[in-house]
């Protein structure tokens, strides 16, 4: 009896303490890529099954509560641990893939189904988000739907044949979200679903297909005096923006993607079509599946239509650039702005290394001082902006600001802002060798902790001797640490990124403010949320996608075997 209590207690304890080292140890699964490793993974799994009677913790508890009676079946729980996952079995045999290609071709015509090698590689791996196994992590086929019915048809074919699917919109995401680690499957490219379906000007909303780019959308909306604020990487499209729960430079003033989605049309893994909501501004009609899909990284459903909120286009937009002797001084200015609740449109920090990269890469038509720099956007009626600029200039002066430059015209504003928008590409352009790699962290902390964590990160970067920088959306407490490194420094670079992430968690922050978890951050997620949270997400995944066909292996691990 004493043992029973001890067991129950230890279960409770493991639920209560989210971030202990022990419960974040991941079993290293060798998911079966070939027939051979598939067999070894089965025997590993069988071992666990024998040991645990099918449900590890549940079986322990129930066997004790049943006075050790064997074979007592545990009641189904509310979470699913990795050990208790049913094994997803993918059929990537030549004949199955050929069969799928034929069916997809008769659904979409041959012009919208391709197995071209270059296209397949470009759909799984980019310089800013490489796939772990390089060109091997690519889809077998890339397909181009035009309608929700097309997408539903594609899902039905893949579901019947047990073929994994990954959605693709702008391809600008980070963290390996697009890598097809099953080394085969179907990539669904939404670029031809790029229509604005309806603009409801009086209601301030718009209905779009997922392949609409936010930049295109905004240039269409501008003619109507309207504006859609989320602004992630140049080239991103609505489908990917919803799935990544993106934000961008406007989030300080306008919030993130989740705040701008009213309702979605979703195709589920088996091809069922679900509309999460119409266009009302509020609703308490059942679970919020819209919110569940936002930031789910394409693992729960395929977005085929979205109703988005809009706002009025600001009358005037101005950009200011201010440089500071130290990062600390720059962040001090940001703190004052945030604490005084000044509704500046955007506050972005680029450190000295990033400013050096901006000059060197040459995406901008001017030279900047290579010291920590804040980029501000002000928007609204002229008189309001004037007042804001006055206050910000004051704060900046108090923090020993070295120079403060304003845009006078719209062209100048765009030109100044260009330095911020191309900062990531500028950093990639200063790689010592073309084959060097790039890692980044996307930590977001409570604003009062920001100066400290950025300063500590700079010290760590210096100690490591690696080329790296801090930049980002400091108005939200969100900053990106980037590291450039040669293969020989891989371990050092990874350790540095992990260090920043752990420090962010210690400060009550998150490891991902906007880029998501993908493959790169999967293990660290447990340190932030605890294994119980991850097991609950796995349970939700299985409820909506029981065969684990949608973007498998992302956010958390799954168990799968592949027949080839
Ligand atoms: C230079 C640069 C700057 C960036 N700056 C920012 C920034 O400031 N803020 C920010 O948040 N991000 C930023 N990013 C990251 C990136 O732009 C965002 O994550 C963006 O939301 C991705 O959109 P996408 O259309 O490119 O998505 P993709 O890369 O095509 O896809 C992203 C994910 O969504 C899934 N997906 C795509 N379409 C669908 C669909 N129709 N249904 C279901 N799932 C789908 C994919 O499977 C994938 O998992 C930046 C990237 C770059 C390269
Ligand atoms: C895989 O697909 C092929 C072709 O459709 C089929 O003959 C085979 O039985 C499938 N394998 C399994 C395990 O279902
Ligand atoms: C549901 O989620 C969406 C997306 O985050 C949000 O815009 C909406 O307000 C939420 N609805 C409710 C009823 O909470």
């Amino acid at each position: 009896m004493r043992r029973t209590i001890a067991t129950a207690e230890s279960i409770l304890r493991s639920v209560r303490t989210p971030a202990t080292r022990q419960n974040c140890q991941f079993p290293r699964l060798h998911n079966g890529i070939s027939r051979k490793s598939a067999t070894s993974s089965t025997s590993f799994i069988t071992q666990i099954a024998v040991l645990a009677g099918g449900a590890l913790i549940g079986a322990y508890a129930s066997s004790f509560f049943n006075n050790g009676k064997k074979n007592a079946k545990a009641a189904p729980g509310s979470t699913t641990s990795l050990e208790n996952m049913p094994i997803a079995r993918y059929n990537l045999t030549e004949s199955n893939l050929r069969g799928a290609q034929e069916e997809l071709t008769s659904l979409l015509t041959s012009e919208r189904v391709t197995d071209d090698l270059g296209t397949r590689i470009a759909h799984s791996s980019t310089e800013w988000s490489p796939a772990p196994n390089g060109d091997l992590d690519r889809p077998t086929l890339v397909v181009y739907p035009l309608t929700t019915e097309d997408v539903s048809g594609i899902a039905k074919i893949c579901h019947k044949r047990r073929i994994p699917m990954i959605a693709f919109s702008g391809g600008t995401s980070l963290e390996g979200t697009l890598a097809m680690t099953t080394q085969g499957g179907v990539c669904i490219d939404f670029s031809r679903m790029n229509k604005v379906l309806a603009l409801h000007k009086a209601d301030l909303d718009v209905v779009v297909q997922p392949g609409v780019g936010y930049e295109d959308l905004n240039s269409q909306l501008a003619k109507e005096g309207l504006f859609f604020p989320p602004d992630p990487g140049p080239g991103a499209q609505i489908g990917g923006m919803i799935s990544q729960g993106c934000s961008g430079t406007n989030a300080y003033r306008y919030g993130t993607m989740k705040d701008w989605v009213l309702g979605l049309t979703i195709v589920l893994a088996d091809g069922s079509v679900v509309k999460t909501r119409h266009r009302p501004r509020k609703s308490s009609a059942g679970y919020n599946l819209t919110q569940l899909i936002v930031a789910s990284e394409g693992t729960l459903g395929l977005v085929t239509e979205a109703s988005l909120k809009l706002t009025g286009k600001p009358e005037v937009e101005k950009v200011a650039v201010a440089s500071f002797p130290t990062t600390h001084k720059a962040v001090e200015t940001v703190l004052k702005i945030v604490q005084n609740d000044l509704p500046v449109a955007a506050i972005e920090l680029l450190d000295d290394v990033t400013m050096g990269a901006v000059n060197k890469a040459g995406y901008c038509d001017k030279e900047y001082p290579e010291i920590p720099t804040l980029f501000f956007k002000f928007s609204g009626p002229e008189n309001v902006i004037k007042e804001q600029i006055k206050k910000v200039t004051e704060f900046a002066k108090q923090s020993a600001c070295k120079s403060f430059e304003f845009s006078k015209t719209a062209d100048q504003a765009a030109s100044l802002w260009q330095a911020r928008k191309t900062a990531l590409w500028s950093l990639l352009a200063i790689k010592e060798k073309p084959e060097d790699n790039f890692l980044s962290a996307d930590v977001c902390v409570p604003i009062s902790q920001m100066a400290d964590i950025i300063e500590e990160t700079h010290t760590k970067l210096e100690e490591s001797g690696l080329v790296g920088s801090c930049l980002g959306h400091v108005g939200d407490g969100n900053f990106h640490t980037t590291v450039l490194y040669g293969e020989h420094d891989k371990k050092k670079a990874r350790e540095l990124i992990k260090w920043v992430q752990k420090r962010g968690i210690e400060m009550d922050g998150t490891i991902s403010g906007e880029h998501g978890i993908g493959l790169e951050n999967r293990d660290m997620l447990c340190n932030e949320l605890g294994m119980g949270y991850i097991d609950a997400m796995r349970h939700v995944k299985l409820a909506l996608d029981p065969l684990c066909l949608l973007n498998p292996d992302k956010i958390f691990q799954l168990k799968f075997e592949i027949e080839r």
Side-chain angles (χ1 to χ4, degrees):
M1 197 56 201
R2 260 173 104 193
R3 261 188 92 187
T4 311
I5 292 166
T7 311
E9 259 179 14
S10 64
I11 292 167
L12 281 179
R13 209 179 312 125
S14 74
V15 171
R16 263 193 257 110
T17 33
T20 59
R21 257 185 133 213
Q22 231 180 0
N23 67 5
C24 285
Q25 293 294 320
F26 288 85
R28 284 291 148 208
L29 279 193
H30 299 284
N31 276 321
I33 293 291
S34 66
R35 250 176 206 287
K36 204 166 157 221
S37 58
T39 327
S40 69
S41 121
T42 313
S43 62
F44 164 63
I45 289 148
T46 320
Q47 269 178 10
I48 294 176
V50 169
L51 198 103
L56 201 57
I57 291 173
Y60 268 130
S62 67
S63 67
F64 284 120
F65 291 128
N66 285 306
N67 276 336
K69 239 189 271 163
K70 290 251 164 87
N71 299 330
K73 226 179 169 174
S78 307
T79 59
T80 304
S81 65
L82 186 59
E83 286 83 355
N84 291 341
M85 276 282 302
I87 305 167
R89 294 178 200 283
Y90 305 132
N91 187 339
L92 298 181
T93 55
E94 183 88 32
S95 66
N96 200 42
L97 290 167
R98 202 168 317 116
Q101 185 165 10
E102 274 162 26
E103 284 180 12
L104 288 165
T105 304
S106 73
L107 177 76
L108 306 170
T109 75
S110 61
E111 195 260 320
R112 290 194 278 128
V113 179
T114 181
D115 57 6
D116 170 68
L117 181 63
T119 309
R120 286 155 56 204
I121 293 173
H123 278 76
S124 61
S125 189
T126 53
E127 191 184 359
W128 50 90
S129 184
N133 301 301
D135 290 351
L136 291 175
D137 291 339
R138 64 198 173 203
T140 322
L141 296 169
V142 179
V143 297
Y144 299 87
L146 298 177
T147 60
T148 298
E149 292 67 45
D150 282 353
V151 179
S152 166
I154 294 164
K156 279 181 186 150
I157 293 167
C158 291
H159 188 259
K160 179 184 73 185
R161 293 179 176 272
R162 295 181 180 244
I163 297 173
M165 293 169 263
I166 298 189
F168 185 100
S169 285
T172 68
S173 57
L174 303 151
E175 316 301 356
T177 47
L178 293 166
M180 202 154 224
T181 54
T182 53
Q183 300 185 2
V186 171
C187 174
I188 305 169
D189 182 319
F190 283 93
S191 59
R192 298 195 198 175
M193 290 180 69
N194 59 354
K195 307 272 173 314
V196 174
L197 299 173
L199 174 64
H200 305 107
K201 213 176 153 179
D203 297 326
L204 285 178
D205 72 56
V206 68
V207 183
V208 299
Q209 288 189 310
V212 170
Y214 75 93
E215 294 142 304
D216 288 347
L217 179 64
N218 269 319
S219 53
Q220 288 185 49
L221 292 172
K223 292 175 208 148
E224 310 287 338
L226 294 170
F227 178 51
F228 176 71
D231 64 332
Q237 299 169 0
I238 299 300
M241 290 166 66
I242 290 168
S243 301
Q244 292 303 104
C246 78
S247 36
T249 62
N250 293 327
Y252 171 66
R253 163 86 171 271
Y254 291 101
T256 69
M257 193 65 193
K258 69 172 193 316
D259 303 308
W260 296 90
V261 184
L262 289 169
L264 298 171
T265 302
I266 306 292
V267 171
L268 299 175
D270 66 354
S272 341
V273 180
V274 171
K275 190 160 176 150
T276 64
R277 236 180 254 326
H278 299 280
R279 305 183 289 118
R281 284 282 151 153
K282 58 182 255 191
S283 157
S284 55
Y287 295 162
N288 193 340
L289 295 188
T290 314
Q291 175 69 83
L292 184 63
I293 293 294
V294 175
S296 67
E297 302 189 18
T299 64
L300 297 178
L302 302 161
V303 176
T304 60
E305 207 174 291
S307 306
L308 306 172
K309 262 191 240 181
L310 301 173
T311 185
K313 186 173 157 52
E315 266 173 51
V316 186
E317 205 161 74
K318 285 211 154 80
V319 171
V321 179
S323 22
F324 294 83
T326 63
T327 309
H328 203 93
K329 287 285 173 199
V331 174
E332 204 176 83
T333 309
V334 177
L335 268 182
K336 280 184 196 145
I337 296 169
V338 174
Q339 285 160 355
N340 281 279
D341 224 356
L342 268 191
V344 173
I347 314 173
E348 302 281 311
L349 169 75
L350 273 62
D351 70 1
D352 49 347
V353 175
T354 313
M355 290 314 293
V358 164
N359 283 341
K360 212 163 159 193
Y363 290 115
C364 306
D365 46 18
K366 80 186 256 5
E367 279 285 292
Y368 289 92
E370 297 181 6
I371 53 177
T373 303
L374 289 178
F375 284 72
F376 298 101
K377 214 185 247 177
F378 302 93
S379 65
E382 188 86 49
N383 59 329
V384 173
I385 292 186
K386 234 185 193 158
E387 197 52 37
Q388 284 179 11
I389 293 181
K390 202 173 134 218
K391 283 223 171 101
V392 170
T393 320
E394 248 166 58
F395 294 148
K397 271 197 193 134
Q398 288 164 11
S399 299
C401 172
K402 293 258 184 189
S403 68
F404 210 118
E405 185 182 351
F406 290 101
S407 62
K408 297 210 174 62
T409 63
D411 278 352
Q412 266 181 20
S415 154
L416 286 175
W417 202 248
Q418 172 84 348
R420 168 61 194 103
K421 273 317 230 185
T422 54
L424 179 63
W425 287 324
S426 299
L427 281 163
L428 287 174
I430 63 159
K431 288 200 299 199
E432 216 168 275
K433 300 195 195 104
E435 66 273 22
D436 281 358
N437 298 303
F438 158 84
L439 270 180
S440 72
D442 173 34
V443 168
C444 185
V445 293
I447 195 91
S448 60
Q449 308 288 314
M450 204 176 45
D452 286 346
I453 192 167
I454 293 183
E455 196 151 297
E456 289 173 28
T457 307
H458 273 134
T459 310
K460 278 272 163 189
L461 273 167
E462 248 162 61
E463 284 169 11
S464 75
L466 294 164
V467 178
S469 71
C470 291
L471 74 153
H473 317 300
V474 283
D476 306 322
N478 186 194
F479 71 102
H480 305 311
T481 308
T482 62
V483 189
L484 301 170
Y485 64 98
E487 199 54 36
H488 56 283
D489 276 333
K490 188 171 179 173
K491 200 166 158 239
K492 231 195 223 174
R494 285 200 178 272
E495 269 166 13
L496 194 131
I497 293 295
K498 280 199 176 136
W499 180 87
V500 187
Q501 293 179 324
K502 284 199 172 142
R503 196 72 191 103
I505 294 169
E506 278 166 21
M507 292 177 165
D508 286 341
T510 175
I511 57 170
S512 180
E514 54 178 30
H515 293 163
I517 300 302
L519 285 172
E520 290 292 336
N521 296 323
R522 281 190 326 189
D523 290 3
M524 191 54 77
L525 186 60
C526 179
N527 291 290
E528 180 179 330
L529 298 173
M531 199 55 100
Y533 193 101
I534 292 173
D535 292 348
M537 286 199 291
R538 230 182 248 117
H539 212 69
V540 173
K541 165 81 175 167
L542 286 173
L544 289 180
D545 179 14
L547 303 182
C548 297
L549 297 174
L550 290 174
N551 207 357
D553 229 15
K554 307 301 156 52
I555 306 179
F556 42 76
Q557 282 185 290
L558 299 172
K559 273 197 312 216
F560 60 82
E561 276 181 24
I562 295 166
E563 194 190 348
R564 281 194 193 280

